[in-house]
Amino acid sequence: MTEPADDLAHRIAQRTLAKRGDNYANEVRLLLDAAVAVMKRSGTASRARVADIVAESGLSNDAFYRHFRSKDALVAAILEDGTARLCAYVAHQMSKETTPEGQVRRWVEGVMSQGVDDVGAATRAVLWNTGSLGENREAGPPSPSGPLAGLLRAPFAELGSADPEFDATLAAHATIGVLVDHLWRRVSPARRDIDRITAFCLRAAASES
């Protein structure tokens, strides 16, 4: 039986859109990875230019502006992508522990790992390129504190926090603040830092019990 013309047209159109979607997703990934590479190479000596990012990606200006209004929009996407990757990594590390204390420590270790060696250099370079990112955002530049705090709520509740959401948010902001301090001072977090931050987080969880 012959397929109705409208159904055939719809099926072909959907196949074309799906292929285009895959191509566009690949373009976005190339641009994100290229931007991080350019920023890391430049460090804090200079901010990456769109032209440099496009050249690194092997794409065109049209491809860049198809997905991003500006470099700030790209940097915001990098921060969002990095936060998602970090949360996935930290959640995986926390899943290896059976006690809330162990999960909190794994959380601290995972967050502070962003300040070590090449990872720290890349993180610092991306932050350097945030520039005016928060100028047109009431809440300022995107922050990983919220998503990371979400990972602490369950262990904080188990540890006896009367307000796990607030206490987890407080601990996340404090830990991110310490991480940023280490990044700008170009100092890798030491074991003593991990111990002290973990102790602070555990006290925060128990402060209202």
Side-chain angles (χ1 to χ4, degrees), residues 182-202:
H182 277 71
L183 286 170
W184 293 132
R185 290 189 291 118
R186 290 173 168 74
V187 176
S188 294
R191 178 56 51 187
R192 180 170 178 267
D193 299 317
I194 303 297
D195 292 342
R196 294 182 69 180
I197 298 169
T198 301
F200 168 81
C201 291
L202 292 174

Side-chain angles (χ1 to χ4, degrees), residues 1 10 22 30 32 36 44 46 71 79 92 94 117 123 126-127 139 144 164 171 176 193-194 208:
M1 184 175 179
H10 179 75
D22 289 340
L30 286 171
L32 292 172
V36 172
T44 56
S46 62
K71 197 195 85 172
L79 293 174
H92 176 68
M94 292 174 72
D117 300 331
T123 304
V126 171
L127 291 177
I176 293 296
D193 299 317
I194 303 297
E208 298 290 336

Side-chain angles (χ1 to χ4, degrees), residues 25-94:
N26 184 57
E27 284 183 355
V28 171
R29 175 49 56 192
L30 286 171
L31 288 166
L32 292 172
D33 291 345
V36 172
V38 171
M39 291 174 188
K40 184 179 176 182
R41 193 159 58 238
S42 300
T44 56
S46 62
R47 289 190 169 91
R49 302 178 305 160
V50 169
D52 300 326
I53 295 168
V54 169
E56 181 79 16
S57 70
L59 299 174
S60 64
N61 283 335
D62 287 344
F64 181 92
Y65 288 108
R66 177 161 45 242
H67 304 293
F68 303 105
R69 298 187 311 275
S70 63
K71 197 195 85 172
D72 279 354
L74 173 61
V75 174
I78 292 171
L79 293 174
E80 183 179 349
D81 183 55
T83 296
R85 289 171 179 247
L86 176 58
C87 285
Y89 169 73
V90 172
H92 176 68
Q93 294 302 111
M94 292 174 72

Side-chain angles (χ1 to χ4, degrees), residues 3 6-18:
E3 183 177 11
D6 286 348
D7 290 345
L8 174 63
H10 179 75
R11 180 165 55 83
I12 293 175
Q14 288 297 109
R15 188 166 62 229
T16 301
L17 288 172

Side-chain angles (χ1 to χ4, degrees), residues 92-157:
H92 176 68
Q93 294 302 111
M94 292 174 72
S95 71
K96 299 176 182 179
E97 299 289 340
T98 57
T99 66
E101 294 87 354
Q103 290 167 356
V104 170
R105 184 175 185 85
R106 290 277 191 169
W107 182 91
V108 173
E109 290 174 340
V111 173
M112 296 305 291
S113 71
Q114 299 305 291
V116 177
D117 300 331
D118 285 347
V119 176
T123 304
R124 182 170 53 250
V126 171
L127 291 177
W128 177 257
N129 277 270
T130 56
S132 60
L133 190 56
E135 288 183 359
N136 297 316
R137 299 170 58 97
E138 291 184 3
S143 170
S145 296
L148 287 170
L151 298 176
L152 280 180
R153 287 172 194 158
F156 269 33

